[in-house]
Amino acid sequence: MKRAAIIYNEHAGQANDHLSIEQIKAQIESHDFQLKLCPTSKPGDGERIAKETGKDVDTLFIFGGDGTVHECINGIPSLQNRPNLAVLPGGTCNDFARTLGISMNLEEAIDQVCTGTTKTVDVPKMNDRYFLNFFAVGLIADTSENINEELKATIGRLSYFWSALQTVTNPTYYTYTLTSDDLHLTGEAL
C-alpha cells in the first residue's frame, strides 16, 4: 500500500459540494493508497503541512485551487526525499491542473492522477519563493491582490474580471530591470 496525504482547502472556489472529503478519501484509497487527511485553516498552512507531511509519504495530493497548490509546492523543495505531487482541482480557476491536462471533474481527476503517469515539471524560483503556473508583476499581480474574496465566493471567475476592471482605472507604473547572461533591459511597464 502506498503512503499518501491530501492537503485540502475546504473553502476553495468550487467546493465540489457533490463529493465530501470522506468520499474523496475513499476513492483515492480504492487505488491502493493509505491516505492521511490534512486540512488547511489559514494562509501558510499548505506550505507548513507539505513540509511536515511530505517527508513521510510517497504521494502528496493537493486538493484546492492555484493558491493552495502554490503554498504546498513551497514546502517541498527543502525535503531530501520529495514525494510525487498529485493536483486535484478544487479552486476557482485551477489553471495549473488544466495545464497538466487534469480533468475538471473531480471523480475523473482522482482516477486520472491515481492511475496516470508521472510528469516532470520545472519549478522556477524568484527570490525565496517557488512557482509553477506563472510569475507576474504589475497589473496582473495587482489584479490578483485586489480580489474581493466575498465576491469571488459568489461569482467565481468573474471576480477576476471585475478586479481587473477596477485595477486598470488606477494603474501603477513600475520601473524594471531584467538581466540574464547576455541581456540587460531597463524600462517602465504596467
Side-chain angles (χ1 to χ4, degrees):
M1 187 162 288
K2 300 168 273 192
R3 298 169 303 145
I6 182 168
I7 299 174
Y8 63 100
N9 177 352
E10 28 189 17
H11 306 295
Q14 292 177 188
N16 288 295
D17 45 3
H18 66 283
L19 281 185
S20 70
I21 193 63
E22 290 301 326
Q23 290 170 310
I24 294 168
K25 182 179 189 272
Q27 187 175 345
I28 292 171
E29 288 180 334
S30 75
H31 290 280
D32 199 32
F33 284 95
Q34 179 182 1
L35 191 67
K36 176 182 177 183
L37 298 177
C38 302
T40 63
S41 61
K42 62 185 180 305
D45 278 356
E47 182 174 345
R48 179 185 54 77
I49 294 168
K51 189 174 191 173
E52 291 170 359
T53 306
K55 66 183 182 302
D56 299 323
V57 298
D58 304 306
T59 302
L60 187 60
F61 290 86
I62 303 170
F63 173 51
D66 293 315
T68 303
V69 172
H70 174 74
E71 273 199 19
C72 292
I73 62 113
N74 274 280
I76 302 297
S78 65
L79 299 178
Q80 194 154 16
N81 295 313
R82 297 180 189 130
N84 288 322
L85 297 181
V87 177
L88 297 174
T92 304
C93 296
N94 304 299
D95 286 336
F96 187 64
R98 288 176 198 276
T99 299
L100 293 177
I102 296 171
S103 173
M104 293 298 105
N105 175 289
L106 185 55
E107 292 175 79
E108 290 176 11
I110 292 168
D111 289 339
Q112 188 179 8
V113 300
C114 288
T115 61
T117 58
T118 303
K119 294 180 182 180
T120 301
V121 298
D122 292 326
V123 183
K125 182 179 182 183
M126 175 62 181
N127 296 331
D128 64 341
R129 301 297 292 169
Y130 294 88
F131 61 97
L132 290 170
N133 208 30
F134 68 92
F135 175 81
V137 296
L139 191 59
I140 294 171
D142 290 346
T143 297
S144 285
E145 288 292 317
N146 294 333
I147 293 287
N148 178 315
E149 292 299 325
E150 289 177 18
L151 194 60
K152 183 178 169 187
T154 305
I155 64 172
R157 289 184 205 165
L158 291 176
S159 64
Y160 288 92
F161 295 110
W162 180 252
S163 179
L165 287 172
Q166 290 180 313
T167 303
V168 297
T169 61
N170 189 20
T172 303
Y173 290 86
Y174 298 87
T175 301
Y176 68 87
T177 301
L178 185 64
T179 305
S180 71
D181 291 339
D182 52 335
L183 179 70
H184 183 84
L185 297 172
T186 300
E188 193 173 85
L190 277 174

